[in-house]
Amino acid sequence: TLYVSRTRARRAGLWFRRAWVAGKRASYPPRAMAHALSLDWTHGFSSTLPNGVINLSLDDGVTKLAFVASHTLVVYTEANESNDPEKTGTQLFLQGHLNPIRSLLASDDRRVVITACAGPDAQVIVWDIEKGQPKRVINDCFGKRGSGIAGADLTPCGRWFAALEDVSFEENEKVDSKTKTKSESTSATPQRVCVWDLLDETNTGDTPVFIGTTPTESYVDRQTVIKCNPNAPGELITNGKTSVVFFVDDDETEEDEKRKDDDDDHDDDDHDHDDDETFSTVPTSSDKTHEKAHHKQATKTLRCYAPPVRARDFSVGAVGEFTRSAFVAPARPNASPGRGRCVTGTAGGDLLVWQGGGVLPGGAEAFEKRNMNPGDRRGVKIVKAHARGAVTHLGVVLGAGDGDDARDSAFLVTGGGDGNVRFFDPELRLVAWFDGLDSGGVSSVSFVAAASPSTARGTPLTASSSANAHAASPFRARDFLVATETSFVYGLKSNDFELLGSSGAVENAVLLLRGSLEPAVAFAVHPNEPVLCVCGARGRVWLWNFVTKKVSASRDLTLGGTHPGGSPTAVCFRRDGLGVLVGTKGGELKALDSNSLFETQAMRFTPDAVTRVVSSDDASCTYAAAADTAGAVSLFRLLGPIHEPRDGHDTARAFDFVGKHRTHAPETPCVGLGFHTNSDGDVELASVGAEGRVARFDVEGSTEEDGVDLVEVSDVALSGEAAGGNVRPTAMAFLASSLGGGDEGTGDGSDESTSESGEGSEKSGEGSESSDEDSEKSTDKPSPRVQILVADDHLKIRTVDCDSLTCVRVACGPDFGEHGPVTSLVPFREGKDDFAAFACDRDVVGIVALPATGDPRRAMGVVAHSGKVLQIAVAATKRLITAENGSGDTETFVFALGGGGVGFGDSENCGCILSVWRVDKSSLRRLQTSDPSSTGSATTSSTDPERDQKKARRLASKRLAFRMAGLLEGGPRGALVNAARDAFAFAQLTAQGELASSDRAVDTRYGTVPVSSVAGIFRPLGVYLTQREANDVSVEIRHCAELNKLPPPTEIDFDAFLVLFVNRRPVRDIRLTDLENAFAIMLDDEGDFLSRKSLLEMLKTSGEAVSDLELVEIARVLGGAGQNKSIKDLFPENVNAKNFARDVLGFISEG
């Protein structure tokens, strides 16, 4: 698994790229943290990826295949049929890519398996499937300029690997479908192609053998497919939607011509050496020539040309968009330098045949314009392959042979958008067809692995011998699998075509693998059983058991597409598991049976799409709530378990609508919604909006007559847009300890865990003994405080007290650089410790220990998906009692749903891959006790335990401060930390008084400053706290002392201040855009300038009002020394963001 270093991500802006691929474990995060999450299963795969599934099965009867799941290669082995049929297969995960895998390739004998990824810093990995490790890695195939790999190919022998560069193209260019040329005369962005010799062990620098560049003329569009001639690695074909480009090594062509002449003179019908007409899986004579030649010369440049394609040359109305390409056997033995035929499939189901020689339409002038030589390939004819769909797959396979007398065949294999698979001989005559799968377009056709290169090859085949074999022999080929774009994988037997016919062979197909039923938009975890309820983007919901890996039930809520508003968008289980509640695109709430998904009730309560559905956590599961895209919160009263009616009984009503409250605005919808039941049994509902508003609702006091009762609203707790700030919340959740009640108090972790918060000092610990004595005398344990975790786009996690709606803590959240802020938070408990699973906007899923302190060692992350992470969830299930574990302990799993275009119908809002991650308990405990070296510090002396505890707290505080300082520019010994130390020392001097006559003491190591002085220390460091934020700092200091069971401190030391500073420091400085946004709010679309009078009036009366004396002081400071400017001199007559920044604040120089 690829693990992410948070500290180095913050300091360098990058993170570990290939530590795993290099076969070495990263030195950070620590080894204990690197195993907290391990991939356990993937539900779904990249179904639309061409050739995204390959058959690894041998002739031993065991089904084994490999498929791509986003950035992971999964090797699936089916359970032995002789065992329990309910037993599931196994999955082996080969991880090394950060970006989505664009190509999956394998040699005919499956000894070479390659994956290549898209995106920047493209990687090519050659895998050892048996060991589950990489054998070779080619990094940065196209250097800094490249945008990844658009396509790749591997010859059947596994020696020659070709890759096509992916670059950005203008998509708005108009194309004439008949002439296949662009109407605009803009130049195309060139793409590079490279060919590597994988058997060359001396090439340690990953230098390609051949390199070429696509033409820059406007008639060449973005190329997406590449194929390498297996008999001549110096010849390649690429295609886009409207153009085809050939690459050829002219030196190789001349050598082949000379070799052919020699063969014609000395070879008496011995086709064993006619490599020009053979489908070969072993290195040919051409390979041997290159083996000698490429060591003697540098990388060779290939000549490229793009033959014209005109519909009138083929007597057709139009040539469809190009889809796939492949090299096939030549049509006749004496074919000219083109070395056999080549075909390109189209969206119309046709095959465009390319062949060397002949006269190019347009004459010699057309040759020169297209950089073509006599004998280069040109389009000669069009053959219909699929009548009802595009050609979505093209490949070549050798026929099956069982002896020297067998005359093997070779076939061109096509797969279509109609779901049909067809076999053609080298003359492009239809030999066999497998029609009627009806499970979507074909994306992959892969055959059983060849036993060995020699036996797989059989007798070398020429075009004429293949034609004779077709006339005299039945269809014989290796068994194969077919993968479709709708996530089906079938196994078919080639012999069934001769025995049962096409329809019988398809009916006899075996379903090997079923991915996601639809692109998923949301899912929910059953509270008591290992079951997920998954909602599809096309209207289907299904139940998937993550232990048996089976789909137990499914239902289409759109009634076959007749009711599109019934498409699900949000889902939850009742907290008792006795029913499912689904929110829909059309504003409905549906009640479903949790076993059969039978719909018992549906109610449309809003015209807007539902974004969230939650169920109350009280014992009777009495309420449910929903949020919609308009920002409203709706409340429902649940009427009991939801069951499918039986024995002729009528369907029972599942819920009643109580009311709706428009709490948030449509442009700032709800980002978090949750119920909480306090120790008195009262149920409360809370919501958080993207504008920073926190709202509490009295659930039991809400009625159908009076609507939803709003208890309290706070716009200032989160410093969001509602309070005039620029913070935007992205996720919200109740703390797990708050939901537990009883003895699960907040922060009830290990001693070193709570002491490492570092918010205390030695002086703040005074009186802790009496506090402990008082707590021992107390017999009534206080109920836990209800708290809410809120993540925001400033990469912070804020803890909000639900009773007072006050922010009691701000901590640095998990930050992995380019992957965005935390967008999902799911707290959970493991023993007595609190944790939260989190997901960043893209790629990363991880776990952070609670309470959130900002400590980088209390969080870890993995690259769970190469794209947007749509949702995560956590579930605990009972482990089966086996002889190995000997107990039925519980296991915790984290589920992640990813989107971003790797499966059918994927987008940024839905995805086909749901990954299951197993949580390691011992690693969780190490996350919670992130400073294990301090564990024994409190017990080093038996004579004075109180003193030892203070020393342990001080040591833990210093270690935490050191780690937090690592998140700043320059690290713990950088200029910013030194500046903080100087500001702290100045605060110490100021606290001792300006008129002090005694010597003043300055000690930043053990000394302290008053809590009231903390806000002033922020200002010299460039952080300007408002009065409300300064008050929040004092609240946080008291809150942290309470967590550590200490009295409220009056002073703090430098280590505690440094932790506060790092946690509260903005991730970026104020920019001109921030001022422009502020002025836009003040102007309210009424002109482009504010008058000086209006602005001063706002400063005096709005928000935290500024007094006249403070305005005078502002003018004196900002006016400069000796200027004696008044406030009117400082402010222009008409003020906007730009002149305010330049003339008032001095942020922009006059030049």
Side-chain angles (χ1 to χ4, degrees):
T1 302
L2 290 174
Y3 293 92
V4 183
S5 165
R6 221 186 105 210
T7 301
R8 296 186 180 183
R10 286 289 297 273
R11 293 172 63 181
L14 301 172
W15 42 290
F16 289 112
R17 291 282 174 179
R18 298 177 180 92
W20 190 91
V21 175
K24 299 179 181 179
R25 222 179 273 281
S27 60
Y28 190 93
R31 185 172 181 176
M33 300 182 187
H35 294 81
L37 288 176
S38 60
L39 189 57
D40 187 73
W41 197 266
T42 61
H43 176 53
F45 59 95
S46 303
S47 55
T48 57
L49 180 69
N51 301 314
V53 181
I54 60 174
N55 198 337
L56 300 178
S57 304
L58 302 174
D59 293 332
D60 54 4
V62 178
T63 300
K64 187 176 183 179
L65 54 92
F67 58 84
V68 173
S70 186
H71 68 302
T72 303
L73 178 62
V74 183
V75 179
Y76 173 75
T77 304
E78 198 174 54
N80 195 332
E81 295 180 359
S82 61
N83 294 335
D84 185 358
E86 295 297 325
K87 188 175 181 180
T88 59
T90 60
Q91 288 186 351
L92 172 67
F93 308 102
L94 305 182
Q95 296 175 289
H97 295 284
L98 298 177
N99 302 314
I101 294 176
R102 183 63 61 86
S103 297
L104 172 60
L105 309 163
S107 61
D108 271 0
D109 57 9
R110 303 299 188 261
R111 294 181 180 179
V112 179
V113 176
I114 296 178
T115 55
C117 68
D121 303 323
Q123 240 183 349
V124 175
I125 303 179
V126 183
W127 296 98
D128 186 331
I129 294 295
E130 297 300 325
K131 296 181 180 180
Q133 296 178 352
K135 293 192 296 186
R136 179 177 178 180
V137 179
I138 301 177
N139 294 319
D140 300 329
C141 299
F142 299 102
K144 297 294 183 182
R145 196 200 80 173
S147 299
I149 294 177
D153 187 41
L154 179 70
T155 55
C157 62
R159 175 173 184 177
W160 304 99
F161 171 75
L164 171 66
E165 180 186 17
D166 192 11
V167 295
S168 299
F169 270 72
E170 295 294 334
E171 299 294 340
N172 57 357
E173 297 172 346
K174 298 180 180 179
V175 177
D176 189 330
S177 61
K178 294 184 179 180
T179 62
K180 288 292 177 184
T181 58
K182 296 178 183 177
S183 59
E184 298 182 3
S185 59
T186 56
S187 298
T189 305
Q191 295 172 263
R192 287 173 291 177
V193 298
C194 296
V195 180
W196 287 267
D197 182 0
L198 299 182
L199 296 186
D200 182 10
E201 298 180 355
T202 63
N203 185 8
T204 58
D206 295 330
T207 304
V209 178
F210 300 104
I211 189 170
T213 305
T214 59
T216 58
E217 284 75 13
S218 60
Y219 53 76
V220 178
D221 67 335
R222 177 175 176 266
Q223 305 290 285
T224 57
V225 177
I226 184 171
K227 295 295 290 186
C228 183
N229 191 330
N231 301 313
E235 183 182 25
L236 304 100
I237 180 176
T238 66
N239 74 262
K241 291 183 178 181
T242 62
S243 62
V244 174
V245 179
F246 285 93
F247 296 84
V248 62
D249 177 17
D250 289 329
D251 295 337
E252 179 186 77
T253 302
E254 295 176 1
E255 293 174 2
D256 287 348
E257 285 296 317
K258 294 178 181 179
R259 188 165 55 254
K260 179 182 286 189
D261 293 340
D262 294 340
D263 291 342
D264 292 340
D265 294 338
H266 301 93
D267 189 1
D268 296 332
D269 297 329
D270 185 4
H271 299 295
D272 289 341
H273 303 287
D274 193 357
D275 59 273
D276 214 21
E277 305 169 3
T278 304
F279 290 98
S280 176
T281 59
V282 295
T284 62
S285 57
S286 176
D287 295 331
K288 296 176 182 178
T289 302
H290 285 290
E291 186 175 3
K292 297 177 181 179
H294 79 272
H295 289 293
K296 301 178 182 179
Q297 59 186 7
T299 300
K300 300 178 68 174
T301 301
L302 302 176
R303 175 175 62 89
C304 70
Y305 62 92
V309 178
R310 301 181 299 183
R312 64 176 180 268
D313 296 332
F314 306 100
S315 300
V316 295
V319 179
E321 291 184 344
F322 299 135
T323 55
R324 312 295 302 167
S325 295
F327 286 91
V328 296
R332 56 185 183 278
N334 295 323
S336 66
R339 292 177 293 279
R341 282 179 175 163
C342 182
V343 297
T344 296
T346 73
D350 300 320
L351 296 177
L352 176 56
V353 183
W354 307 93
Q355 192 165 317
V359 179
L360 184 71
E365 184 179 352
F367 274 85
E368 296 177 1
K369 288 183 178 180
R370 297 279 179 157
N371 193 31
M372 296 180 66
N373 296 336
D376 284 345
R377 296 185 186 272
R378 63 182 182 88
V380 296
K381 65 178 178 179
I382 288 180
V383 178
K384 177 63 70 173
H386 296 269
R388 296 183 294 110
V391 176
T392 56
H393 172 83
L394 280 178
V396 175
V397 64
L398 289 175
D402 55 4
D404 295 336
D405 296 332
R407 290 175 296 178
D408 296 346
S409 300
F411 306 103
L412 172 69
V413 185
T414 69
D418 51 9
N420 300 332
V421 178
R422 297 184 172 181
F423 292 75
F424 296 83
D425 68 5
E427 298 287 345
L428 299 183
R429 295 175 297 194
L430 184 62
V431 177
W433 55 96
F434 296 79
D435 295 353
L437 280 176
D438 292 332
S439 297
V442 175
S443 59
S444 302
V445 179
S446 183
F447 293 81
V448 171
S452 66
S454 58
T455 60
R457 182 185 177 193
T459 304
L461 175 72
T462 64
S464 57
S465 67
S466 175
N468 295 333
H470 169 68
S473 301
F475 169 71
R476 304 182 66 185
R478 302 196 299 272
D479 295 339
F480 60 97
L481 63 78
V482 176
T484 71
E485 295 177 349
T486 53
S487 298
F488 287 91
V489 179
Y490 293 99
L492 292 94
K493 296 183 179 296
S494 298
N495 291 338
D496 285 347
F497 177 77
E498 293 290 341
L499 299 176
L500 306 175
S502 175
S503 60
V506 171
E507 290 176 0
N508 207 31
V510 178
L511 181 62
L512 302 178
L513 185 66
R514 180 67 172 105
S516 179
L517 273 63
E518 288 182 0
V521 295
F523 69 95
V525 182
H526 196 290
N528 306 319
E529 299 177 7
V531 174
L532 301 182
C533 182
V534 187
C535 295
R538 301 180 180 179
R540 185 173 293 276
V541 294
W542 64 94
L543 298 177
W544 181 66
N545 189 303
F546 59 85
V547 173
T548 64
K549 313 300 188 296
K550 306 291 184 182
V551 175
S552 59
S554 68
R555 188 168 298 273
D556 185 1
L557 299 184
T558 63
L559 305 178
T562 60
H563 179 48
S567 182
T569 54
V571 62
C572 78
F573 280 91
R574 284 174 51 104
R575 286 299 176 95
D576 53 13
L578 302 178
V580 178
L581 298 173
V582 177
T584 71
K585 181 179 179 180
E588 294 177 305
L589 183 67
K590 293 177 178 288
L592 310 179
D593 184 287
S594 58
N595 294 317
S596 65
L597 296 180
F598 179 84
E599 183 179 322
T600 64
Q601 182 182 348
M603 175 188 294
R604 188 169 189 263
F605 64 94
T606 177
D608 305 293
V610 178
T611 58
R612 299 176 185 275
V613 179
V614 294
S615 172
S616 64
D617 59 333
D618 59 313
S620 302
C621 193
T622 314
Y623 298 96
D628 58 43
T629 55
V633 175
S634 300
L635 182 65
F636 301 86
R637 182 175 289 105
L638 302 182
L639 304 179
I642 305 171
H643 292 301
E644 180 180 357
R646 295 179 177 87
D647 301 328
H649 291 86
D650 294 334
T651 303
R653 192 173 180 84
F655 59 84
D656 283 332
F657 178 68
V658 176
K660 178 167 62 174
H661 190 282
R662 195 172 296 277
T663 313
H664 311 286
E667 59 272 14
T668 55
C670 177
V671 299
L673 185 68
F675 282 97
H676 168 71
T677 304
N678 59 29
S679 57
D680 297 330
D682 297 330
V683 181
E684 286 192 354
L685 174 67
S687 72
V688 174
E691 79 279 41
R693 175 172 295 166
V694 185
R696 291 174 56 208
F697 304 92
D698 181 6
V699 175
E700 295 180 347
S702 301
T703 62
E704 289 83 348
E705 294 79 13
D706 300 328
V708 180
D709 184 14
L710 182 64
V711 177
E712 188 177 1
V713 173
S714 175
D715 288 340
V716 299
L718 302 179
S719 301
E721 297 173 4
N726 58 357
V727 175
R728 194 175 183 91
T730 55
M732 164 265 185
F734 279 100
L735 281 177
S737 58
S738 300
L739 296 175
D743 59 347
E744 297 176 355
T746 302
D748 186 20
S750 58
D751 289 342
E752 56 265 309
S753 169
T754 55
S755 64
E756 276 191 341
S757 60
E759 275 21 344
S761 65
E762 187 171 352
K763 289 193 176 183
S764 67
E766 295 178 359
S768 61
E769 182 177 357
S770 60
S771 176
D772 292 339
E773 291 175 358
D774 293 339
S775 62
E776 291 175 0
K777 294 178 182 178
S778 175
T779 57
D780 297 330
K781 196 166 187 178
S783 60
R785 299 176 60 178
V786 183
Q787 294 179 338
I788 300 174
L789 287 181
V790 181
D792 59 45
D793 63 347
H794 282 211
L795 308 179
K796 309 292 186 184
I797 292 182
R798 302 172 190 267
T799 305
V800 178
D801 183 81
C802 196
D803 292 333
S804 61
L805 295 187
T806 302
C807 181
V808 297
R809 191 165 200 168
V810 177
C812 290
D815 176 14
F816 299 102
E818 60 196 24
H819 304 287
V822 171
T823 55
S824 296
L825 274 174
V826 183
F828 65 97
R829 302 219 80 190
E830 191 63 54
K832 294 183 178 181
D833 296 325
D834 291 330
F835 302 90
F838 67 87
C840 295
D841 183 54
R842 304 186 65 84
D843 304 336
V844 177
V845 172
I847 295 177
V848 59
L850 298 179
T853 64
D855 189 346
R857 294 189 63 173
R858 288 166 61 87
M860 58 80 57
V862 296
V863 180
H865 185 80
S866 59
K868 188 175 181 62
V869 182
L870 301 174
Q871 184 184 345
I872 61 170
V874 179
T877 183
K878 198 75 171 179
R879 182 186 301 173
L880 298 178
I881 300 177
T882 63
E884 289 80 7
N885 57 48
S887 66
D889 196 7
T890 59
E891 289 183 308
T892 303
F893 295 93
V894 175
F895 307 90
L897 173 64
V902 293
F904 74 102
D906 268 15
S907 68
E908 286 294 303
N909 299 317
C910 58
C912 284
I913 298 176
L914 181 62
S915 56
V916 183
W917 297 81
R918 188 185 300 271
V919 177
D920 182 73
K921 295 184 178 180
S922 61
S923 297
L924 282 186
R925 286 192 290 270
R926 294 188 182 101
L927 277 180
Q928 189 64 255
T929 57
S930 59
D931 194 1
S933 61
S934 65
T935 304
S937 299
T939 58
T940 55
S941 173
S942 59
T943 58
D944 194 349
E946 181 182 353
R947 178 185 175 187
D948 292 338
Q949 289 177 1
K950 290 182 179 180
K951 290 176 62 178
R953 284 197 297 270
R954 182 187 303 165
L955 179 61
S957 178
K958 289 188 175 297
R959 287 174 172 169
L960 173 61
F962 184 83
R963 293 194 295 270
M964 296 293 290
L967 302 178
L968 299 175
E969 297 87 342
R973 296 174 177 84
L976 188 55
V977 173
N978 292 333
R981 200 178 300 277
D982 293 341
F984 189 85
F986 182 77
Q988 286 181 322
L989 293 174
T990 304
Q992 296 175 43
E994 298 180 358
L995 301 178
S997 58
S998 58
D999 293 338
R1000 296 174 180 175
V1002 175
D1003 183 4
T1004 58
R1005 186 173 183 181
Y1006 298 108
T1008 62
V1009 298
V1011 170
S1012 58
S1013 303
V1014 172
I1017 309 177
F1018 278 76
R1019 297 187 184 101
L1021 303 178
V1023 179
Y1024 304 97
L1025 301 179
T1026 65
Q1027 293 297 325
R1028 177 182 51 79
E1029 290 172 336
N1031 180 69
D1032 288 345
V1033 170
S1034 300
V1035 172
E1036 179 173 342
I1037 294 173
R1038 292 195 301 269
H1039 171 74
C1040 293
E1042 181 182 348
L1043 283 181
N1044 292 326
K1045 300 178 181 179
L1046 299 173
T1050 58
E1051 297 177 338
I1052 65 170
D1053 58 17
F1054 177 74
D1055 297 322
F1057 165 76
L1058 189 61
V1059 172
L1060 279 172
F1061 172 72
V1062 176
N1063 279 329
R1064 288 193 171 264
R1065 181 181 181 234
V1067 293
R1068 60 177 176 82
D1069 294 330
I1070 296 177
R1071 303 172 182 172
L1072 181 60
T1073 54
D1074 297 321
L1075 289 176
E1076 290 173 346
N1077 293 334
F1079 271 85
I1081 295 174
M1082 291 187 291
L1083 288 168
D1084 195 19
D1085 297 328
E1086 295 182 359
D1088 298 326
F1089 293 89
L1090 274 176
S1091 66
R1092 179 197 301 147
K1093 181 179 180 181
S1094 298
L1095 180 58
L1096 292 177
E1097 187 66 23
M1098 290 181 182
L1099 290 175
K1100 293 179 181 180
T1101 59
S1102 302
E1104 296 181 358
V1106 181
S1107 66
D1108 290 332
L1109 292 178
E1110 289 174 325
L1111 286 174
V1112 172
E1113 180 65 15
I1114 290 173
R1116 185 187 67 81
V1117 174
L1118 295 179
Q1123 295 295 322
N1124 295 322
K1125 284 187 177 182
S1126 67
I1127 198 66
K1128 291 184 179 181
D1129 296 331
L1130 182 63
F1131 286 87
E1133 182 65 31
N1134 295 308
V1135 189
N1136 63 8
K1138 190 171 183 179
N1139 62 28
F1140 182 82
R1142 181 188 63 235
D1143 301 334
V1144 180
L1145 300 180
F1147 286 171
I1148 302 176
S1149 64
E1150 291 290 344

